[in-house]
Amino acid sequence: MSPRGWSFVAFFAAVAAAVALAWAGIRPPDWVFPLAVVVLLGFYVNGVTEQVPLYLSNRRTQQAVADLTPDVAGARIVDLGCGFGGVVLAVARARPGADVLGVETAPLSWLISLLRVRLSGLANARIEFRGIWNTDLGDVDFVYAFLSPAPMARLYAKVRAEMKPGTVFVSNSFEVPDEDPDEVLELDDRRRTRLLVWRM
C-alpha cells in the first residue's frame, strides 16, 4: 500500500477507535488527545504556518514528473515540500545520473521521506529538513512543487530570481497569478492532475 493509503487507513482507524471508545463509555487516558494533536501537527504544521497542507503526488504524477526531468548526468532536481518523498524516489530511479533533493519541514512527513529514501538504497536521492524559502535554486536544473495557491506568487518570484535560463519549474495543479505556463500536461488520473510547466 502507498504511504497515502496508509495515512488514510491510520486516520480512519483512529476515528473508528475514538467512536468505539465513546460508545462503550470508556474514557481514554488524558495524554491521548495531546498526543493526537502533536501527531497531526507533525504532518500538517505547514498548513498552519505556510497555508500549505500535506498533498501527496500519486504514482502517475510521480512518473510524469520524472519524465519531464532532464536526462543528463549531473542534473540537479529539487522537490520543494516533498511530503513522503514519492517524487524524489521516482525521479532518482528514472534519472540515476541526477542529484535529486527533497526538502520538507513538517517533522513527521520529513521523517517518513528520510526513512523511505534511506531504505531505498538510492545513492542519488537526498532528503533535507529545510524550508522552501531557504533552498537556493541557483544551480538547480528542475524544480517541482505541489503546494497550494497561497505561496505561488512568492515562489514564482523566487524561481525567476534564482533559476538560470534553460531550467524548468513545474507546479502540480496550482497556478501562478497572472503568469501563463509554457505548457500544461493533463494527466489521466482520478484527480485530473494538471502539471503546469514554466521554462526559464
Side-chain angles (χ1 to χ4, degrees), residues 143-167:
V143 170
Y144 172 73
F146 189 12
L147 302 176
S148 79
M152 291 309 297
R154 182 181 174 196
L155 178 59
Y156 188 73
K158 174 180 174 65
V159 162
R160 293 294 295 178
E162 296 180 16
M163 294 183 75
K164 297 174 183 175
T167 58

Side-chain angles (χ1 to χ4, degrees), residues 84-94 100 113 116-118 120 122 125:
F84 293 172
V87 168
V88 172
L89 291 168
V91 173
R93 288 188 185 106
V100 186
S113 60
R116 290 185 74 202
V117 165
R118 290 194 176 170
S120 75
L122 293 166

Side-chain angles (χ1 to χ4, degrees), residues 7-77:
S7 67
F8 280 122
V9 168
F11 174 77
F12 287 114
V15 170
V19 169
L21 288 172
W23 193 20
I26 299 171
R27 186 175 187 273
D30 291 339
W31 54 264
V32 168
F33 297 107
L35 177 63
V37 170
V38 169
V39 170
L40 287 173
L41 283 175
F43 287 113
Y44 296 104
V45 66
N46 291 331
V48 177
T49 59
E50 297 276 354
Q51 294 181 294
V52 178
L54 175 63
Y55 291 122
L56 301 176
S57 302
N58 60 38
R59 286 194 176 126
R60 186 164 293 185
T61 302
Q62 293 167 12
Q63 188 56 54
V65 172
D67 292 342
L68 285 170
T69 58
D71 189 8
V72 294
R76 300 204 64 217
I77 298 160

Side-chain angles (χ1 to χ4, degrees), residues 57 60-68 142 144-146 169-174 181-187 192-198:
S57 302
R60 186 164 293 185
T61 302
Q62 293 167 12
Q63 188 56 54
V65 172
D67 292 342
L68 285 170
F142 183 97
Y144 172 73
F146 189 12
F169 168 59
V170 175
S171 171
N172 184 332
S173 303
F174 301 114
D182 296 303
E183 182 180 0
V184 177
L185 298 179
E186 297 187 1
L187 306 185
R192 294 300 199 195
T193 299
R194 297 168 71 238
L195 296 179
L196 291 76
V197 181
W198 284 268

Side-chain angles (χ1 to χ4, degrees), residues 87-161:
V87 168
V88 172
L89 291 168
V91 173
R93 288 188 185 106
R95 304 289 187 239
D99 174 30
V100 186
L101 170 66
V103 299
E104 180 59 66
T105 55
L108 293 181
S109 297
W110 165 79
L111 182 60
I112 288 171
S113 60
L114 181 68
L115 291 173
R116 290 185 74 202
V117 165
R118 290 194 176 170
L119 291 172
S120 75
L122 293 166
N124 64 327
R126 296 180 291 128
I127 301 294
E128 294 184 5
F129 190 86
R130 188 193 309 170
I132 60 176
W133 310 117
N134 298 325
T135 302
D136 183 6
L137 306 177
D139 59 352
V140 173
D141 301 294
F142 183 97
V143 170
Y144 172 73
F146 189 12
L147 302 176
S148 79
M152 291 309 297
R154 182 181 174 196
L155 178 59
Y156 188 73
K158 174 180 174 65
V159 162
R160 293 294 295 178

